[in-house]
Amino acid sequence: MSYTESIGSRTYRFADLKTLLAKASPQRSGDQLAGIAAASEEERVAAKMALAQVPLRTFLNEPLIPYETDEVTRLIVDDHSPQAFTDISHLTVGDFRNWLLSTTTDTNALTRITEGLTPEMLAAVSKLMRNQDLIAVARKRPVVTRFRNTVGLPGHLSVRLQPNHPTDDVKGIAASMLDGLMYGCGDALIGINPASDNLAAITTLLLMIDDFRQRYQVPTQSCVLTHVTSTIAAIEKGAPVDLVFQSIAGTEKANASFGISLALLREAYEAGLSLKRGTVGSNLMYFETGQGSALSADAHFGVDQQTCEARAYAVACKFEPFLVNTVVGFIGPEYLYDGKQITRAGLEDHFCGKLLGVPMGCDICYTNHAEADQDDMDNLLTLLGVAGVNFIMGVPGADDVMLNYQSTSFHDALYVRDVLGLRRAPEFEAWLESMQIIDAHGALLGASARQPLLEGARDWMGIT
């Protein structure tokens, strides 16, 4: 089905829904690279006007990627609930935006329609929304998950402690981990990106974190962010695996480029469940995504990168994850050119994920060849804090020495919690207080109060 819209004497024609969505997208370098972006701001406005008039039902009848050839499309279609769709089935995309922004549309209303939404519906409506709209609606849709603690409660913000090391040196990683804990970070998880997929090295890191966690009774979860097949192998060898990690994307072909399928993710999920290591819940999958991954794999099929990204969240939903993280600026300026595009993408991803019921976090980051700097990251951090993001990254000095990109630091987490009045996961915060790292209000105590734990941890690490 084609779509048209006139502006003045000029009429714009869009061949199909996929083209219309791409032309309506805010400007970004990835869509321009793919040759699917609007050629002018006037064409972009025309596409938005036409998109606003499209009935939501159209997305159920006009798949962007064929059902027969893509298992992600099949997942989206087969899991759609007509009953949950009832409240909004009569709306157009423009009407849906107004409904979402209405003061009468509250958390219960958004939760009620979750299973009636598709990623494509949310990608479409997000293209009609200003940044403040994305923030206001996402804030109304908390998503709470549990493993050894509780993440995503309203008024809370968690942090993934990311103590990476370029050679997987255990003492170097342990020192960065301890540094982060002393700043009150690590309630989302302690998660290491290993320098290699060597099973022995991965197991060593898992054992180190688990030994520390048990010794000091830390109510958090660990993860070594290796390929899911390596994690399955580690589980089979008896390693102490908490969260099961995998990067995912929004098309079957893109996932195949990661060496995964829905069946493999199911196998990993069930392997993780079999360990029964959660104490307050059983959400145990940790997924990472990012706009541009399908395009970089030549697996986008002409679909704009933000819509492909939203489809990845349907994959995540299937496995009831503990955390999902859009690594928003990591792929590079070929996909998100500057700070403005990175900021917009982060807000879009958070909005789409939350409305699909995904526990969204964000690695607020950029590579050094992008037209962005730490001020841009400060802005996005603050906006996502207001929007109710579940978690962010905590990287020593905000500079990841293994992955070579810029993210957010332990101090950034202190800042956003302070200015927005956000707390840590309640179980983790109680532990921090018991260890004299924070006071009853969540503020860091002085170095002298933390010295006993620090000295004990140094002895554990074998550092004199």
Side-chain angles (χ1 to χ4, degrees), residues 58-355:
T58 303
F59 294 92
L60 302 175
N61 302 322
E62 193 176 336
L64 306 186
I65 301 172
Y67 182 95
E68 296 76 16
T69 59
D70 187 273
E71 68 175 359
V72 177
T73 299
R74 293 194 291 276
L75 171 66
I76 292 166
V77 173
D78 294 348
D79 283 3
H80 180 262
S81 167
Q83 182 178 1
F85 185 54
T86 301
D87 286 357
I88 56 171
S89 61
H90 60 291
L91 300 177
T92 65
V93 176
D95 294 332
F96 184 40
R97 173 188 176 274
N98 296 337
W99 185 87
L100 290 170
L101 290 167
S102 170
T103 55
T104 60
T105 300
D106 57 11
T107 299
N108 289 335
L110 293 175
T111 304
R112 192 166 57 246
I113 67 167
T114 297
E115 294 182 0
L117 297 170
T118 69
E120 293 86 352
M121 292 177 192
L122 290 169
V125 75
S126 75
K127 298 176 193 302
L128 307 183
M129 300 173 84
R130 294 169 57 183
N131 286 2
Q132 65 175 245
D133 299 339
L134 299 172
I135 293 167
V137 176
R139 186 176 177 83
K140 295 193 286 187
R141 183 56 171 97
V143 179
V144 180
T145 54
R146 295 174 175 88
F147 189 75
R148 282 201 193 92
N149 59 27
T150 306
V151 171
L153 293 167
H156 291 68
L157 173 71
S158 296
V159 176
R160 170 191 161 186
L161 175 48
Q162 184 172 305
N164 294 343
H165 191 280
T167 63
D168 289 341
D169 179 78
V170 175
K171 286 189 177 180
I173 288 171
S176 291
M177 179 180 73
L178 182 61
D179 187 24
L181 290 168
M182 291 298 102
Y183 280 102
C185 294
D187 51 341
L189 78 157
I190 300 170
I192 303 166
N193 297 91
S196 77
D197 263 350
N198 179 278
L199 185 58
I202 291 164
T203 302
T204 297
L205 295 176
L206 286 167
L207 288 168
M208 180 272 290
I209 301 175
D210 201 58
D211 181 64
F212 183 90
R213 183 189 62 77
Q214 292 194 63
R215 180 182 297 252
Y216 292 99
Q217 298 182 312
V218 191
T220 191
Q221 33 286 319
S222 65
C223 184
V224 174
L225 281 68
T226 186
H227 192 270
V228 69
T229 53
S230 298
T231 302
I232 292 171
I235 291 172
E236 291 172 345
K237 294 288 186 180
V241 173
D242 288 343
L243 302 187
V244 176
F245 167 80
Q246 183 55 50
S247 294
I248 58 173
T251 72
E252 180 178 346
K253 184 179 178 183
N255 283 325
S257 76
F258 291 145
I260 62 167
S261 64
L262 296 180
L264 181 58
L265 293 178
R266 172 63 61 183
E267 179 185 349
Y269 174 58
E270 292 176 352
L273 283 176
S274 72
L275 300 180
K276 299 180 180 178
R277 290 176 60 83
T279 55
V280 299
S282 58
N283 302 114
L284 57 81
M285 299 299 285
Y286 175 26
F287 295 120
E288 286 191 346
T289 67
Q291 287 193 28
S293 58
L295 175 58
S296 66
D298 191 25
H300 63 105
F301 302 99
V303 178
D304 69 272
Q305 65 182 38
Q306 187 237 335
T307 302
C308 282
E309 171 74 2
R311 285 168 54 96
Y313 305 147
V315 175
C317 276
K318 190 66 177 175
F319 303 100
E320 301 178 353
F322 183 65
L323 306 167
V324 176
N325 175 34
T326 170
V327 192
V328 67
F330 183 74
I331 301 181
E334 301 87 351
Y335 305 97
L336 296 169
Y337 178 72
D338 57 17
K340 183 173 183 178
Q341 292 187 16
I342 292 170
T343 296
R344 175 70 189 191
L347 295 176
E348 289 170 347
D349 294 350
H350 181 252
F351 164 85
C352 289
K354 279 292 184 65
L355 266 71

Side-chain angles (χ1 to χ4, degrees), residues 171 175 178 451 454-464:
K171 286 189 177 180
L178 182 61
Q451 196 63 26
L454 187 59
E455 291 299 330
R458 282 175 174 164
D459 290 342
W460 167 78
M461 291 165 57
I463 296 175
T464 58

Side-chain angles (χ1 to χ4, degrees), residues 181-182 212 216-219 426-438 453:
L181 290 168
M182 291 298 102
F212 183 90
Y216 292 99
Q217 298 182 312
V218 191
E427 302 90 343
F428 188 79
E429 190 158 274
W431 177 81
L432 290 173
E433 187 177 352
S434 73
M435 300 301 290
Q436 295 184 290
I437 296 173
I438 63 171
L453 174 60

